[in-house]
Amino acid sequence: MSITQKGFEYAKERYAALGVDVEKAMEELDRIPLSIHCWQGDDVRGFDSDEALSGGIAATGNYPGRARNAEELKADIEKAFSLIPGPKKLNLHAMYAELSGPRVDRDAIGPDNFRGWVDWAKAQGVGLDFNPSFFSHPKAAEGFTIASADENIRRFWVEHGKRCREIADYFVKELNEDCVVNFWMPDGYKDTPADLTAPRERMVRSLDEIFSDRTISPRVLDAVESKLFGIGVESYTVGSHELLYGYALTRGKLYCLDAGHFHPLEYISDKISACLQYCPKILLHVSRGVRWDSDHVVALDNELERIAQEIVRGGYAQRVAVALDYFDASINRVAAWVIGSRNAKKALLKALLEPYQTLKQVESEGDLTARLAYGEQFRTLPFAEVWNMYLECKGLPGDDWLDEVRAYEKDILSARG
Ligand code: RNT
Ligand code: ZN
């Protein structure tokens, strides 16, 4: 017996004694797709311009080997995907349009600019999600897009939003799979505005205009993402929690909770069960906030475990779309994808292996001492042994996956200027 098998047999017995079926947990894990963001591979630069990253987000670091074009980005994603187990979707941003033909601006992009990605998704057997890109563009330079007081600017970005839904509609038809389209608008002010109302009215009106196209497939799932503040947008963000949660509820949209978009002592794990009382479906941007920054590589920390527990304990797997959102330019970018994605999957597996019924039972009996005692004991159950077996069943490397990324770095990434 290999060490993985021995460990697995031991874990299986430990879990069975607590009423948990490890095989069933592994099967359940394969029913939760993970939407992996393309933008970790090139520091959120995209292919449609040389504009610096804007919108109050920043990718810092200068680790060599950044993907510089679609071909390199696809190769890097393939490498990362080959080391990430289970069902996956690729989450694209509009700025990753392939503009080989006539140069088109963001208000004029269309399916033609994404045929390459669709072919790639078909070849890889993965679905696609999508995002309009309301940043890193000359028309976003004043810090406002769909909430702009300049009617030309506002209209430009409304058209961009419409094009993005048309592209998502094309993805649905080609791939026969739902496509989540997430709307995040960085609009806001560095300093306190006099008029907080007008930009919010304009944002709501613009979103209504964008979503007015009734020909779009219902399998295009629109989401709106709120934010507390960004870098250089410290005092006022138009698309705040209240504005966009209310928007999602009243318009039947998904609400997107980003783990780094709230006060550091406020957790999205606590919001999932609350939002799902009203929203049929929500989108999560699984990320890791560190002080003021919202986008560190996802670690297997307490909040990630809590997020996964909420999805599993609530039986919400069908109502929560799980996507990653982070970018780190200071480490190997392929490794960053693998680390964060594996952590998200690990957290879900750990949650699926939790003897939750026991916790629920003692809680309902009012035995809060046992709830804490058992809960703490369950944290150290041998879930890693089940994880290793899960990887082995998929034919993927366990702890030595980094060797493969290092080899890829040596052969491919280091040759990039
Ligand atoms: C920014 C938002 C947004 C972006 C990506 C690139 O704070 O979280 O989701 O990170 O769309
Ligand atoms: Zn986000």
Side-chain angles (χ1 to χ4, degrees):
M1 236 198 249
S2 73
I3 188 142
T4 302
Q5 279 162 335
K6 273 190 219 158
F8 180 69
E9 289 308 323
Y10 164 76
K12 195 172 160 177
E13 218 174 299
R14 289 281 310 275
Y15 278 110
L18 294 163
V20 175
D21 180 341
V22 295
E23 259 112 17
K24 198 169 146 241
M26 291 193 282
E27 279 166 36
E28 292 285 324
L29 185 58
D30 275 341
R31 278 194 271 276
I32 309 175
L34 182 65
S35 183
I36 300 172
H37 55 315
C38 74
W39 52 91
Q40 164 56 46
D42 74 332
D43 314 336
V44 210
R45 290 185 191 222
F47 311 141
D48 68 348
S49 77
D50 295 327
E51 284 287 309
L53 179 57
S54 76
I57 53 177
T60 53
N62 54 2
Y63 198 86
R66 172 179 67 80
R68 296 161 302 180
N69 52 51
E71 201 189 330
E72 290 179 354
L73 188 61
K74 283 172 189 164
D76 293 357
I77 296 169
E78 276 171 43
K79 187 71 221 172
F81 275 24
S82 76
L83 296 167
I84 301 164
K88 292 170 276 292
K89 294 177 91 179
L90 178 69
N91 199 6
L92 280 173
H93 241 286
M95 71 200 313
Y96 292 84
E98 297 185 71
L99 303 171
S100 47
R103 193 105 200 136
V104 282
D105 208 345
R106 289 192 195 165
D107 60 340
I109 50 170
D112 270 347
N113 306 114
F114 288 88
R115 281 191 210 289
W117 283 112
V118 165
D119 291 343
W120 179 88
K122 284 181 182 166
Q124 298 294 311
V126 300
L128 292 174
D129 288 324
F130 202 54
N131 302 259
S133 307
F134 295 108
F135 52 90
S136 305
H137 188 281
K139 288 200 163 66
E142 301 303 317
F144 280 84
T145 63
I146 61 169
S148 176
D150 179 332
E151 186 58 13
N152 286 325
I153 300 246
R154 193 189 73 81
R155 282 243 48 93
F156 174 86
W157 289 110
V158 165
E159 290 306 315
H160 176 58
K162 290 186 176 191
R163 293 302 86 72
C164 288
R165 294 182 80 236
E166 291 158 10
I167 291 162
D169 187 66
Y170 158 71
F171 290 171
V172 166
K173 293 199 171 102
E174 289 288 325
L175 303 171
N176 191 29
E177 208 177 316
D178 289 357
C179 177
V180 177
V181 185
N182 181 53
F183 286 75
W184 167 65
M185 291 73 57
D187 300 37
Y189 282 118
K190 182 176 181 67
D191 227 324
T192 315
D195 181 359
L196 283 76
T197 298
R200 291 195 164 127
E201 286 173 348
R202 286 193 294 267
M203 180 170 280
V204 169
R205 181 156 58 90
S206 297
L207 287 172
D208 283 345
E209 287 171 20
I210 290 169
F211 298 134
S212 66
D213 184 346
R214 300 283 159 220
T215 67
I216 301 295
S217 163
R219 298 191 71 180
V220 170
L221 305 177
D222 306 302
V224 287
E225 178 180 10
S226 69
K227 192 168 181 176
L228 182 60
F229 76 95
I231 302 164
V233 198
E234 287 86 1
S235 301
Y236 171 74
T237 290
V238 182
S240 62
H241 167 67
E242 289 76 7
L243 189 84
L244 295 180
Y245 184 49
Y247 189 87
L249 289 180
T250 52
R251 270 58 169 190
K253 302 297 178 193
L254 276 68
Y255 181 52
C256 174
L257 288 165
D258 184 299
H261 285 193
F262 293 87
H263 184 279
L265 296 178
E266 216 183 326
Y267 297 104
I268 67 163
S269 55
D270 182 50
K271 300 178 188 296
I272 295 169
S273 58
C275 293
L276 287 175
Q277 298 305 311
Y278 307 104
C279 277
K281 204 164 175 169
I282 58 171
L283 168 65
L284 298 184
H285 268 191
V286 178
S287 189
R288 177 165 56 105
V290 176
R291 302 193 193 279
W292 59 82
D293 183 59
S294 65
D295 297 293
H296 279 62
V297 180
V298 167
L300 187 60
D301 60 10
N302 203 46
E303 173 61 357
L304 181 65
E305 291 197 18
R306 290 286 300 116
I307 291 169
Q309 282 171 347
E310 281 307 300
I311 297 170
V312 171
R313 290 179 179 183
Y316 291 140
Q318 302 307 315
R319 295 177 59 197
V320 178
V322 186
L324 297 175
D325 181 18
Y326 59 79
F327 24 96
D328 191 334
S330 73
I331 61 173
N332 180 304
R333 293 169 185 80
V334 176
W337 261 317
V338 179
I339 294 165
S341 305
R342 283 193 172 208
N343 279 337
K345 297 260 177 184
K346 273 186 202 173
L348 286 165
L349 180 64
K350 195 173 180 188
L352 287 161
L353 288 167
E354 181 188 58
Y356 171 52
Q357 292 311 324
T358 305
L359 295 178
K360 218 173 146 174
Q361 176 72 26
V362 296
E363 180 174 84
S364 72
E365 289 161 1
D367 189 351
L368 307 189
T369 308
R371 182 182 65 186
L372 183 60
Y374 294 164
E376 290 304 301
Q377 273 161 230
F378 296 163
R379 290 171 74 109
T380 53
L381 283 169
F383 98 95
E385 275 52 59
V386 184
W387 169 252
N388 289 338
M389 179 51 85
Y390 176 73
L391 291 172
E392 191 168 292
C393 291
K394 304 268 178 210
L396 298 192
D399 294 339
D400 48 357
W401 64 269
L402 186 56
D403 299 343
E404 276 201 32
V405 175
R406 290 270 188 246
Y408 184 76
E409 178 167 35
K410 196 164 156 279
D411 297 345
I412 310 287
L413 301 179
S414 66
R416 293 176 190 166

